[in-house]
Amino acid sequence: MTQIDFHILQHGGATEALLYCCRLVEKAWQRGHQIFIHCRDEAQCEMLDELLWSFRPDSFLPHARLGNAEEAIALGTADQLGHHCDVLINLGGEIPDAFSRFRRLAEIVCQEEQWLQNSRQRFRFYQHRGYPLQRHTIPGKGHP
């Protein structure tokens, strides 16, 4: 069964959520995981694509757009989830259809009102279906 972790940023909005996502991806990649980042739309994919190259001057996170890429880190929208089943990071407003094939799912929650509402709905969905849930409160700038 998929382990679901909610990373709740105590401060900040969408930009901070994307920066936190980059740090979370870096940590998972360093531990040898394959990661797919589910983006809300193509615009968010483009922003995250740029951030993964530039969020830290001393960091290199090899990644590719589209889930069918061979890279350990891939990003795309719901219809591009690829084939691996290790770690899924959800930045979209909805639950990806194939989330349950992944070993881990990370939900990043920022303090924008619509994002909070969507996150609460997803939490209730997972909880109602009996998925193991963990909450991680991220103070300040959000380091995983």
Side-chain angles (χ1 to χ4, degrees), residues 2 4 6 36-40 76-81 88-102 104-108 115 117-131 133:
T2 304
I4 301 172
F6 277 78
F36 181 81
I37 307 163
H38 170 238
C39 296
R40 176 183 65 238
T77 56
D79 60 339
Q80 304 166 333
L81 286 178
L88 171 64
I89 298 176
N90 187 19
L91 296 173
E94 74 284 343
I95 298 168
D97 289 337
F99 81 92
S100 62
R101 80 162 195 245
F102 290 85
R104 305 271 318 237
L105 167 60
E107 293 275 0
I108 299 175
W115 198 311
Q117 288 178 16
N118 291 341
S119 297
R120 289 177 184 130
Q121 289 174 353
R122 290 191 305 272
F123 186 89
R124 285 189 295 270
F125 173 90
Y126 301 133
Q127 187 178 46
H128 180 71
R129 283 155 182 80
Y131 283 92
L133 301 171

Side-chain angles (χ1 to χ4, degrees), residues 7-8 10 17 22 27-28 37 42 57 61-62 70 76-80 86 96 108 110 113 115 120 131 140 143:
H7 299 260
I8 304 166
Q10 293 297 294
C22 290
K27 184 177 179 180
I37 307 163
E42 284 301 316
L61 294 175
E70 295 298 321
T77 56
D79 60 339
Q80 304 166 333
D86 196 7
I108 299 175
C110 74
E113 188 57 38
W115 198 311
R120 289 177 184 130
Y131 283 92
H143 296 284

Side-chain angles (χ1 to χ4, degrees), residues 8-11 136-143:
I8 304 166
L9 305 181
Q10 293 297 294
H11 304 285
H136 308 277
T137 302
I138 312 300
K141 293 196 177 210
H143 296 284

